[in-house]
Amino acid sequence: MLLNVNGEERTFRGAADTPLLWVLRDALGLKGTKYGCGVGVCGSCIVLIDGEPRHACTSRVDEVSGKSVVTIEGFARKPEHPVIQAWIAEQVPQCGYCHPAQVLTAAWLLGRHPHPSDAEIDNALSPVLCRCGSYPRIRRAVRRAAEMLAGKARHSPCSTAALCALPAAGPGDAEGYVFNPWVRIARDGTITVVIDRSEMGQGAITGLAMLAAEELEADLDRIRVEYAPAADEYSNALLGEQMTGGSTSIRSAWKTLREAGASARVRLIAAAAKAWGVKRVECHAERGEVVHGTSGRRIGYGTLAAIAVTQPAPRRVLLKSPQEFRLIGRSLPRIEVPDLVLGRAIYAIDVTRPGLLHAVLARSPSFGGRVASYDASEALRVPGVRNVIEIGGAVAVIADDVPAALKGRDALKIDWNIKDACTLDSDAIRNRLIAALERRGSAARDEGDAARALKQASHVVEALYETPYLAHATMEPMNCIAEVRDDGCDIWVGTQAQEGAQRRTMDLTGLPRERVRVHTTYLGGGFGRRLESDFVAEAVQVARIARRPVQVLWTRADDMRHDFYRPASVTAFRAGIDARGAVIAWLQRVAGPGLALDGIDMPYAIANVREVHINDDPGVPTGAWRSVGASQNAYTIECFVDELAAATEKDPLAFRLALLKRAPHYRAVLELAADRAGWDRTLPEGRSRGIAVYRCFGSWVAQVAEVSVAEKGALRVERVVCAADCGTLINPDAAAAQMEGGIIFGLSAALHGRITLHHGAVMQSSFEDYPLVTMRDAPEIEVHFVNSRHAPGGVGEPGVPPIAPAVANAVFAATGRRIRRLPLFAPAES
């Protein structure tokens, strides 16, 4: 049938009921349209059909024959369009996976409403979910684009030039001379910085490039980047292997990449001095050239590279002082943003290989279940299905394309053996964890004598807090391409753990390390989920049997029901208050799987403190989730601190500050957040504030949440003011974006997030029953940073933990109700 796509006539000869999404992506190679859910809920697949935004995943191809279809590739042919320019100017994307759909929807809105109200912006863009939480910047970009269209905003067109990932090059290669594992310089002066961390929206590409460029004395417009292979030299010094997590991308490279840039600079200066026959001390580097101070002669890095690479590398280099920084500390445009806006960034799901097959797996609905038997006869009758195989307790359907694989899986008949599987329900897990609190446990902190102080207290405050299992719900579901041959294996994957993926592949194939190559792509969200390699193992096993390249794709339901979840936990508090109103004892008992016992930070000056951990794992798979245990322990601790403030009839801010006299970092962010939020000012009727502070991953963050609560209990977070001390900021605007995104991410969990189980099976399957905050739900957010010259702290995760307690504390201020069980919108918590 004939299709009109981006103004061109295209022919499709497949089944009439094929979803338009897969026609665009696989038949026509237009990868900017993304798969996110397959059921028309997330909006990542939105294209313009006859000028209207429509979900490509639920539009049959025969329904659009004869209609005009515009994808991001077609829209991007006009890079001067105000929406594109505004998106780049506001540095909107984080992981970028949803932004082709966001851009198309914004363009449609402005075509219909050239001067949209905020309500119109929210209503138009809410159907497109952004897991990274870039909503505040989307709003600003739409406003800016509207002003551009009206001629009210002056602007210089933003460059849409983008990075290129180059193949590895050795000394003397046309693509560059290798100075060290991170820096390569080509003859034309282009500098390639090898990025040894994964880019999943945290701005690692640009931040790491800035570290090298700062000491190399090069501007970012001369920098290109490529992802590093899995190799020892790229190990994360803070985590012990090559991986991206724990907000360590910048922290782990703070010294390493600057030294790499400085070492290359020293060799370039040495080469220039040798060529000119002058002393090295007479030369200096600036903006990609070496300059002889006396004569003013200049020579570019590209010209020097061949000679410089032969100069001995210095054993030690002198790094710049903060006063000398030219790039670090400036809000520079991120290198990767144009690619993300225009749909040119390549995620694992976008990779193609000659002869590529597609596979989906049927997995046990209950954790730990295995295949007892299966009947593949109907599946094999589906056109396009090539094979059905059993691997690792699951059944894989291998087909020519994704729709055929999905139809084949639907036709499978499987009997599951769940004899040894987890059969618990959510209520049983909750009761189990509460019962575990009665066990002795192990003391993680024991100062003074909390038991004795509690007995002597005039008043004891007690509370039980509960947090649920949570899914990562990255917008790009898990997927991986594997190509297994006798002489080696290549995998293309969006992973946070290159060495982990390589190691898992080695175990499955028996291949030596040097023959297993990991090709890292952009990640459509990570949040800790892609630290796991289960989906990599599936692709390798299927490809090994198929003897062809195979892409294993998880559907949204697969992704939701077979995650490594943030664990559930329960926390029991007892605090003693003396006759003068002073807190003299703090007893905290936490029960849950191991990760729930992580990230506990109680900084308040209380003489008698006891913290007890009870490790109890009900058998649900758990894994690192953005900010790990800090995400739930901040909620319990900071809400209970608010309870103590109320019990002593003190202002929540003043109460905290009085107990933090010897904790200057906490005080600084609390005072800054409170000041910018107008803590002492009276709010309009119907609004209330709550406050919280927490330290994790080397940073301190305080947040003030302003909420409105309607008569029927409807809650809306109107405004959040965030203050953070993250040490030296490499790119302040990128750091602010991470705080904004962390707040939205944490807000989704606080308001809605909950994974429930029945007979060991997860009940949620899509964003309909695991809702996220949308554009219309997103508050106005302000981010402020404490000036600091300390080494960098984390920025990707520390913005998450304080938002839940800040909102819960604001709800108490508004209603007098303490919500001690998340999510805040759970019916049982009314």
Side-chain angles (χ1 to χ4, degrees), residues 188-439:
D188 65 357
T190 300
I191 300 164
T192 297
V193 175
V194 177
I195 303 300
D196 54 9
R197 298 292 167 261
S198 302
E199 177 58 70
M200 47 193 168
Q202 79 278 38
I205 282 177
T206 299
L208 295 174
M210 287 175 69
L211 293 181
E214 179 67 73
E215 294 291 345
L216 191 51
E217 293 292 0
D219 291 328
L220 276 188
D221 60 6
R222 300 300 300 167
I223 302 291
R224 304 171 88 181
V225 300
E226 70 177 43
Y227 288 116
D232 285 339
E233 54 264 44
Y234 301 116
S235 178
N236 185 319
L238 297 179
L239 300 178
E241 66 175 84
Q242 189 178 349
M243 63 168 58
T244 306
S247 295
T248 59
S249 292
I250 296 296
R251 290 194 289 157
S252 65
W254 173 238
K255 184 178 180 183
T256 304
L257 266 174
R258 287 191 298 147
E259 288 180 342
S263 176
R265 182 193 72 230
V266 169
R267 295 165 76 183
L268 288 160
I269 290 173
K274 183 177 180 180
W276 288 326
V278 300
K279 296 179 180 179
R280 296 183 187 184
V281 294
E282 298 176 12
C283 304
H284 67 275
E286 64 178 46
R287 297 184 180 275
E289 296 179 316
V290 177
V291 181
H292 182 228
T294 303
S295 67
R297 287 178 289 180
R298 294 173 174 268
I299 186 168
Y301 287 176
T303 303
L304 286 169
I307 303 173
V309 79
T310 66
Q311 300 296 304
R315 292 184 178 182
R316 296 180 62 185
V317 290
L318 180 65
L319 298 177
K320 290 183 179 181
S321 67
Q323 293 82 359
E324 297 173 293
F325 289 157
R326 192 172 60 86
L327 301 178
I328 292 173
R330 292 176 56 196
S331 291
L332 300 178
R334 286 166 52 202
I335 296 170
E336 65 274 18
V337 162
D339 272 353
L340 299 175
V341 172
L342 300 177
R344 300 187 304 213
I346 302 299
Y347 303 84
I349 200 171
D350 302 327
V351 173
T352 60
R353 297 293 299 161
L356 181 67
L357 296 175
H358 299 265
V360 295
L361 277 68
R363 304 169 186 84
S364 170
S366 298
F367 297 117
R370 312 235 358 136
V371 177
S373 64
Y374 70 95
D375 179 356
S377 57
E378 292 298 320
L380 290 168
R381 292 190 182 99
V382 173
V385 171
R386 295 293 191 99
N387 199 2
V388 177
I389 59 175
E390 182 180 349
I391 61 160
V395 179
V397 178
I398 307 169
D400 292 330
D401 53 48
V402 173
L406 291 171
K407 287 180 180 178
R409 186 174 71 169
D410 289 342
L412 287 173
K413 297 176 182 177
I414 306 176
D415 289 327
W416 296 102
N417 180 354
I418 59 171
K419 179 181 178 182
D420 299 320
C422 172
T423 58
L424 292 177
D425 296 336
S426 291
D427 286 344
I429 291 173
R430 179 193 181 208
N431 292 336
R432 171 177 170 155
L433 294 179
I434 291 174
L437 289 172
E438 301 302 317
R439 299 197 334 235

Side-chain angles (χ1 to χ4, degrees), residues 748-792:
S748 285
L751 299 180
H752 309 295
R754 180 172 56 174
I755 286 293
T756 57
L757 291 92
H758 182 63
H759 293 316
V762 169
M763 303 306 293
Q764 287 70 28
S765 62
S766 77
F767 294 117
E768 290 180 298
D769 48 15
Y770 192 82
L772 305 181
V773 164
T774 68
M775 176 73 87
R776 66 171 59 93
D777 306 319
E780 293 293 330
I781 298 175
E782 299 173 26
V783 178
H784 307 279
F785 291 104
V786 173
N787 289 328
S788 174
R789 288 189 175 177
H790 294 295

